[in-house]
Amino acid sequence: MRRKLVAGNWKMHGRQGENAHLIDGVLTGLATINNVDVMVAPPTIYLQQVAQLLAGSKVKLAAQNLATEEQGAFTGEVSGVMLADIGVNAVIIGHSERRALYGETDAVVVEKTTRALSANLTPIICIGETLDEREAGSTLTVVSRQLRAVLDVFSAEDIARCVVAYEPVWAIGTGKTASPEQAQEVHAALRQLVATYSAEVASGLTILYGGSVKASNAQSLFAKSDIDGALVGGASLMAQEFIAICEAAALAN
Ligand code: PGA
């Protein structure tokens, strides 16, 4: 039985004071919620601060990016080994903003996943179609290509250590959420694709939905059998909203 996971992607938001306030709110809210896995992904510069704020709690820490290399002359980059060294547990890879704005291709996603796995970080691999692709009827072709790029390279054992996040690009930060039925259709197709590699891995794989998830739509999304939680952007910056989403996930568990 898969357990729901709610991960908050703070993107490039936060200041030390705001972070402390937000984590305080999240930890207070979570005190009475069991039966759900929770993660936050602050900007790289604040990972260490948030690691300290989370110490002793059950909330896990994720980074938003990692380098394709382990160390060396790569000015400005931060490697998976460094992230693990300061207590990071997971890392978001191939987010659509990184694909669109920083040229992160399927090949780069594979390289970063390799680095994450070897540093013992859980890769949260993001895939999703644009509005044009959806309107052209190529959603499943696009997301299958993005996922297959990873499935073709890694062993079943490695895939079992990954989390997949389906995030339709047209739903990210737009207030437009995929309907639970639209999301479920894609999640089921992704799980079927994984099953062609390993049925066992497919049934255990956590597949998150992301794109304008908020307290008001979380419950209906989590009710779908192949939606195992959410990658939450904007709503993860407000403790109350984020907690309400965690609550909905716990109830669905
Ligand atoms: P959003 O972002 O919830 O603000 O749409 C989700 C994401 O980009 O992970």
Side-chain angles (χ1 to χ4, degrees):
M1 184 60 201
R2 298 180 302 270
R3 202 172 130 98
K4 299 264 191 282
L5 165 66
V6 178
N9 174 10
W10 293 7
K11 308 192 180 184
M12 199 169 71
H13 294 285
R15 298 288 185 274
Q16 292 193 70
E18 292 167 16
N19 303 342
H21 186 69
L22 177 54
I23 293 295
D24 185 53
V26 168
L27 293 181
T28 306
L30 283 179
T32 51
I33 306 173
N34 292 310
N35 203 25
V36 61
D37 293 324
V38 180
M39 220 177 241
V40 292
T44 312
I45 187 77
Y46 296 126
L47 282 167
Q48 210 150 14
Q49 181 206 5
V50 175
Q52 277 162 16
L53 294 168
L54 294 177
S57 82
K58 56 195 171 194
V59 178
K60 298 271 194 274
L61 185 60
Q64 297 175 17
N65 187 27
L66 82 169
T68 52
E69 308 295 332
E70 196 170 294
Q71 71 173 34
F74 303 101
T75 303
E77 292 294 283
V78 173
S79 74
V81 173
M82 293 171 181
L83 297 172
D85 186 42
I86 63 156
V88 173
N89 311 104
V91 58
I92 298 170
I93 297 175
H95 188 280
S96 70
E97 285 150 20
R98 296 214 55 89
R99 289 181 190 260
L101 303 172
Y102 303 99
E104 208 148 294
T105 58
D106 287 344
V108 171
V109 168
V110 165
E111 284 180 57
K112 291 188 172 186
T113 302
T114 306
R115 292 298 179 192
L117 288 169
S118 72
N120 238 342
L121 299 168
T122 300
I124 303 172
I125 299 166
C126 301
I127 59 179
E129 82 288 2
T130 62
L131 187 58
D132 282 354
E133 289 164 339
R134 174 157 285 265
E135 285 175 348
S138 48
T139 297
L140 295 181
T141 312
V142 171
V143 296
S144 300
R145 186 208 75 222
Q146 292 170 327
L147 186 56
R148 212 178 273 120
V150 172
L151 296 174
D152 280 345
V153 171
F154 296 98
S155 65
E157 217 173 39
D158 282 342
I159 299 296
R161 295 167 58 202
C162 296
V163 167
V164 171
Y166 167 57
E167 299 203 301
V169 179
W170 50 270
I172 296 178
T174 57
K176 285 186 206 154
T177 323
S179 68
E181 293 69 29
Q182 282 174 320
Q184 168 60 25
E185 183 196 10
V186 176
H187 282 232
L190 294 173
R191 202 178 300 286
Q192 266 171 27
L193 174 62
V194 178
T196 63
Y197 293 74
S198 161
E200 194 190 337
V201 172
S203 72
L205 186 70
T206 297
I207 307 179
L208 306 179
Y209 168 78
S212 299
V213 175
K214 37 190 183 272
S216 57
N217 58 27
Q219 200 185 351
S220 57
L221 287 161
F222 296 157
K224 294 295 178 190
S225 59
D226 287 295
I227 301 181
D228 305 318
L231 183 54
V232 185
S236 73
L237 299 171
M238 294 165 282
Q240 251 190 339
E241 273 287 306
F242 189 63
I243 289 300
I245 295 167
C246 295
E247 218 158 20
L251 285 173
N253 257 331

